Amino acid sequence: MEQSDKKTFKILSIDGGGIKGLYSSTILEHLEEKYSCSISDHFDMICGTSTGGLIALALSLGLPAKTVSEFYINRGKRIFPYVPFFNSLKQVMWGGKFSDKYLKQSLIEVFGENKIGDSKNLLCIPTYTYTDARPWVFKFDHKEGGLDRDNEAKYVDVALATSAAPTYFPLCEIDYYDKKQFIDGGVWANNPTLVGLIEALRYFVGKGKEYHDIKLLSVSSLTLSGGKPIGLCRKRSFVRWRSDLFDVFNTGQSSFTDYFMHSIKELDDVKIDYVRIPSAVISSDQERLVKMDKATPNALNFIRGKGNDQGEIYKKDPKVKEFFDREKTYKTK
């Protein structure tokens, strides 16, 4: 293959994290503004889990990241109503912490009747089918894999499925899949980077395939990374764990994925340029404002501010700029 014929396959991956998706969307706002573009036009594939899946779906329709940020700011407090004792009691005793009624209504207003086949990008949206007890990835039905499964699925249903966090939201039941029930993809792929990488290597990149190398931009959610003091009570019920339980799962899985990517990119078979925009540093005094379901005005302002800070830094990063030097080459239409 001549050097001029070599094509780069570009992937955007967005972590899960509930209302903290505002952090990720704010960073992406900065990139769209800096490079005067739509994210959709510069990535062949977009991957997202949970709230990252909502962002990925919106971007794949060509919606601006700013619109996604406004979704969190304007609707977050109704999706995650803040009634601490009552919500915690519901989470432990019955029904889950929140209803998905307002979330679904809000998603309908954003996505309407759009289906996966309307996407401008290849998609990988992880979820977990509780019915079949296995991971499930919603994809744009690309010809390379001979796929014929998801293109008629509605965006709203896919968004609800990938974000149905256990004990937070109800199971998502989808008529199109014979009423299978789904839960949040964060239970196995909160950072969906590896999902996108495997899809790319299997169908698009490498010897005998259309693309020669991979550029992968991974955007973190805002996470608690300061650790805990020693001497904590060792016997911990669900009530004592509370949201820390999900933070441990999500942060641990995302950290391992980042470690794996830094290791695999050293392989010579396929060149992989991997860039991770990490979480901003959170002090112990700020931790109370960083919860996946805390959408108070102070929390939203704090998350938004951290996203703006990180966006200002990474929009100037030359490695990030490379993703926007040329538009994507894979066409879904």
Side-chain angles (χ1 to χ4, degrees):
M1 182 183 293
E2 297 294 329
Q3 188 70 31
S4 59
D5 294 332
K6 293 181 178 179
K7 295 172 67 175
T8 298
F9 190 82
K10 295 190 291 183
I11 305 171
L12 174 65
S13 174
I14 310 166
D15 285 17
I19 194 63
K20 296 180 294 181
L22 176 59
Y23 171 80
S24 310
S25 64
T26 300
I27 291 171
L28 294 169
E29 272 189 70
H30 281 266
L31 300 184
E32 286 191 328
E33 181 180 356
K34 171 70 174 178
Y35 300 107
S36 302
C37 71
S38 168
I39 291 289
S40 174
D41 292 335
H42 287 268
F43 291 90
D44 301 287
M45 177 185 290
I46 305 179
C47 310
T49 300
S50 192
T51 196
L54 272 61
I55 299 171
L57 290 166
L59 296 176
S60 74
L61 288 175
L63 296 177
K66 183 177 178 61
T67 297
V68 183
S69 296
E70 290 171 349
F71 175 88
Y72 290 119
I73 293 169
N74 296 331
R75 303 172 187 269
K77 64 184 178 182
R78 289 197 62 185
I79 295 171
F80 299 106
Y82 188 58
V83 189
F85 177 76
F86 179 67
N87 285 348
S88 297
L89 186 63
K90 283 179 62 184
Q91 185 175 29
V92 173
M93 300 300 294
W94 74 92
K97 199 170 185 178
F98 305 107
S99 165
D100 62 356
K101 181 178 179 180
Y102 186 73
L103 173 60
K104 183 175 183 178
Q105 177 186 330
S106 299
L107 291 171
I108 290 172
E109 291 177 16
V110 174
F111 294 136
E113 293 297 315
N114 277 296
K115 298 178 180 180
I116 295 298
D118 297 320
S119 175
K120 300 174 184 294
N121 307 83
L122 293 165
L123 288 170
C124 280
I125 310 294
T127 184
Y128 183 91
T129 164
Y130 197 56
T131 302
D132 301 323
R134 63 183 175 88
W136 180 292
V137 181
F138 295 105
K139 305 176 183 180
F140 180 90
D141 289 340
H142 51 79
K143 60 184 183 297
E144 289 80 1
L147 302 179
D148 184 20
R149 188 190 67 177
D150 294 333
N151 271 13
E152 291 300 311
K154 292 183 178 181
Y155 266 60
V156 170
D157 288 335
V158 173
L160 288 171
T162 191
S163 57
T167 78
Y168 283 86
F169 287 112
L171 295 170
C172 175
E173 184 175 282
I174 303 181
D175 291 342
Y176 179 71
Y177 297 102
D178 304 310
K179 295 191 178 295
K180 286 185 191 292
Q181 294 179 319
F182 298 87
I183 61 174
D184 197 311
V187 300
W188 68 277
N190 193 62
N191 177 343
T193 297
L194 292 182
V195 178
L197 177 65
I198 291 169
E199 187 78 358
L201 291 174
R202 187 175 183 184
Y203 296 112
F204 304 103
V205 186
K207 187 175 180 180
K209 301 184 180 76
E210 183 178 355
Y211 292 86
H212 176 263
D213 57 274
I214 296 172
K215 293 184 74 67
L216 201 157
L217 178 62
S218 175
V219 182
S220 175
S221 177
L222 195 58
T223 61
L224 303 179
S225 54
K228 300 292 183 182
I230 61 173
L232 295 175
C233 177
R234 295 190 300 117
K235 298 179 180 180
R236 304 178 72 82
S237 66
F238 179 80
V239 174
R240 186 178 288 274
W241 273 105
R242 287 177 294 183
S243 62
D244 283 352
L245 183 63
F246 297 96
D247 287 336
V248 168
F249 288 157
N250 293 343
T251 302
Q253 188 275 137
S254 292
S255 296
F256 169 75
T257 299
D258 186 49
Y259 167 78
F260 182 92
M261 287 303 304
H262 278 293
S263 301
I264 197 174
K265 73 177 185 178
E266 304 300 329
L267 300 178
D268 294 330
D269 299 55
V270 173
K271 181 184 176 185
I272 301 172
D273 284 336
Y274 168 68
V275 179
R276 172 78 164 167
I277 300 180
S279 171
V281 176
I282 306 298
S283 74
S284 58
D285 289 337
Q286 296 167 337
E287 287 185 359
R288 63 183 179 81
L289 294 172
V290 184
K291 303 291 182 185
M292 64 178 289
D293 61 339
K294 192 167 187 177
T296 62
N298 281 344
L300 291 172
N301 286 333
F302 179 77
I303 294 168
R304 177 75 165 166
K306 286 295 183 182
N308 278 322
D309 292 344
Q310 205 78 319
E312 286 290 341
I313 294 170
Y314 279 90
K315 71 181 184 183
K316 302 170 186 174
D317 189 314
K319 295 297 292 182
V320 171
K321 179 181 180 298
E322 290 177 9
F323 287 89
F324 299 92
D325 286 342
R326 296 182 181 85
E327 290 194 355
K328 67 182 181 185
T329 55
Y330 191 92
K331 303 298 182 184
T332 58
K333 306 297 182 184

